[in-house]
Amino acid sequence: MSPLRPDRSTAVASASETEDTEDAAPESMLTVLIALGANLLIAIAKTVAALLTGAASMVAEAAHSWADAGNEVFLYIAARRSVKPADPTHPVGYGREAYVWSLFAAFGLFAVGAGVSIMHGIQELIDPEPAERFEISYIVLAVAFVLEGISFLQALRQSRRQAAESHRDVLDHVMRTSDPTLRAVFFEDAAALIGLVIAFLGILLHQVTGSSVPDAIGSILVGVLLGIVAIVLIRQNRRFLVGVSIDPVLRAAVLQRLLDHPSVAQVTYLHIEYSGPGKVMIVAAVDLMGDFAEHEVAATLNAVEDEIGASKNVAWVVLTLSRPGAPALDPAHPADPLVG
C-alpha cells in the first residue's frame, strides 16, 4: 500500500481537510496577516470617524474592526502553534491548539464586536445624539469596503482552490474545513462587508430623516450579525475540539486503501478523526493475509502503520488485530463514522 498522500488520490485527499499542512499553513498565515493589516487600518479610520461624526453605526463598525483585529492576533497564534511538531508530551502534535485559539477569537468577536455594537445601539435609541459631518463616515466606509474586500478576496481565493480540489461548493467547504483560521477570516470578512452596507444605510437614513433611530438600529443589526457569526465559529471550533469524525466518503476511501494493501485481508474497525488542521488520527483493527508467527504479525502491522504514517496528514496511526469473528467493514457501505 502506498502512503496516504494529500494529492489527487482518493484516500485522504478528496477534500482539503487532508491537504498538505506544510503547503496550507503558509497560505492560511498569509490570509490571517492580510486580514490583520486591513483590520488595523480600518479600525483606526473608523475610530477617528466615530469621534468626529458621532454616528452610532460608525461606533459599532469601529468596535467591530477592533474586535476583528484582536481576533486576527489569536488566529495568527493558532496558525503558528498548530504546526509545531509532535514531542513526548504531545505525541499527536499541537494541531488542536488551532481550535483553542480560534475559539478565543470567536468569543472575542461575540463579547467585543457584538456586545459593544448592540449596547451602543440601544443606548442611542434611549438617549439619541445628533450626528454630523456625514461625508467623513461615507469616505471611511468606502475605504473600509475596499480594504475588507481585499482581505475577503484572499480568503475566498484560498477557499475556492481548496473547494475545487474537494469537489464541494465554497460555503460547504468553509463550514467543513478543518482549518479554523480560514473559516474565521472568511466569515469575519464577509460579515464586515455586510456590516459596512448596513452602517452606510443607517447613516444615510440618519442624514436624510434627521432621526438617529435608523443609525441606532444599524448599530444593533451589525451587533446581531457579529453575534451570529461568532456563534457559528464557536460551534465549529467546539466540534473539532471535542473530536469530529471525517467525511464518510473520505472514510470509505481510506478503508479501501487499507484493503488494497497486500498484507491486509479485511478491516473490522476503523476510526478516523481530526487532530488539527489537515491532520488526522487513525485507529483500525485488521485481519492479515496468511498465517504468521506472533513476531511476524507485529512486524507486518508496524510496516503498514509506517506506510500510512508516512503521510504528512497523518499525525498518529495504530493498527491492531481484529477480534475473532468480527464482521468486516464494506467500503461500499462503511459503518457510521460516529460509531465505527
Side-chain angles (χ1 to χ4, degrees):
M1 184 182 80
S2 60
L4 300 180
R5 292 293 181 186
D7 49 21
R8 300 181 184 277
S9 68
T10 58
V12 185
S14 68
S16 67
E17 309 303 299
T18 51
E19 66 189 349
D20 188 334
T21 52
E22 290 191 358
D23 293 334
E27 186 175 15
S28 295
M29 192 78 70
L30 176 63
T31 300
V32 170
L33 290 176
I34 289 175
L36 175 59
N39 281 314
L40 281 175
L41 293 174
I42 294 168
I44 293 171
K46 286 178 180 177
T47 301
V48 173
L51 293 174
L52 294 176
T53 65
S57 292
M58 189 57 69
V59 173
E61 281 297 308
H64 177 183
S65 293
W66 282 115
D68 279 354
N71 292 346
E72 307 309 335
V73 174
F74 284 124
L75 295 178
Y76 178 80
I77 296 173
R80 287 294 300 270
R81 292 186 65 87
S82 65
V83 296
K84 290 175 60 179
D87 57 38
T89 60
H90 295 81
V92 296
Y94 292 77
R96 285 184 176 171
E97 284 231 34
Y99 307 119
V100 174
W101 291 97
S102 297
L103 191 64
F104 291 160
F107 277 121
L109 182 66
F110 185 86
V112 179
V116 171
S117 298
I118 292 174
M119 291 303 297
H120 186 77
I122 294 174
Q123 182 180 0
E124 186 69 16
L125 286 176
I126 297 173
D127 185 19
E129 295 182 4
E132 55 186 9
R133 305 175 73 177
F134 294 100
E135 66 280 0
I136 295 178
S137 294
Y138 298 141
I139 293 173
V140 170
L141 290 176
V143 172
F145 196 89
V146 172
L147 293 175
E148 292 284 10
I150 293 173
S151 177
F152 179 72
L153 285 176
Q154 168 61 24
L156 181 61
R157 188 179 303 112
Q158 182 180 353
S159 300
R160 278 179 173 171
R161 179 183 60 78
Q162 295 180 1
E165 293 173 355
S166 61
H167 306 290
R168 297 174 180 162
D169 62 62
V170 173
L171 186 58
D172 182 42
H173 171 72
V174 172
M175 284 296 294
R176 295 167 63 180
T177 180
S178 61
D179 184 354
T181 58
L182 173 62
R183 178 167 41 249
V185 173
F186 183 93
F187 278 114
E188 287 178 8
D189 285 350
L193 292 172
I194 297 172
L196 288 169
V197 174
I198 294 173
F200 169 77
L201 293 175
I203 294 171
L204 178 63
L205 290 174
H206 187 169
Q207 182 180 16
V208 170
T209 65
S211 170
S212 64
V213 172
D215 195 8
I217 292 176
S219 178
I220 294 173
L221 290 178
V222 169
V224 171
L225 174 65
L226 297 181
I228 292 173
V229 170
I231 290 172
V232 170
L233 295 178
I234 289 170
R235 176 179 178 275
Q236 291 302 99
N237 283 302
R238 179 191 61 81
R239 290 179 66 242
F240 280 94
L241 277 173
V242 171
V244 60
S245 60
I246 68 170
D247 187 288
V249 175
L250 209 55
R251 169 187 162 82
V254 175
L255 174 58
Q256 185 61 58
R257 287 293 294 274
L258 282 170
L259 292 173
D260 288 343
H261 194 285
S263 298
V264 176
Q266 65 180 19
V267 180
T268 60
Y269 176 87
L270 179 62
H271 176 80
I272 312 170
E273 68 177 65
Y274 293 107
S275 63
K279 292 280 190 177
V280 295
M281 299 185 296
I282 301 174
V283 179
V286 302
D287 280 332
L288 298 178
M289 295 288 191
D291 187 13
F292 300 104
E294 183 176 347
H295 71 279
E296 294 175 317
V297 170
T300 301
L301 286 177
N302 290 337
V304 178
E305 287 178 349
D306 290 342
E307 289 189 39
I308 298 174
S311 170
K312 297 173 183 176
N313 303 120
V314 177
W316 185 60
V317 56
V318 173
L319 299 182
T320 186
L321 293 178
S322 301
R323 293 180 179 179
L329 298 179
D330 183 354
H333 303 284
D336 185 343
L338 295 179
V339 299

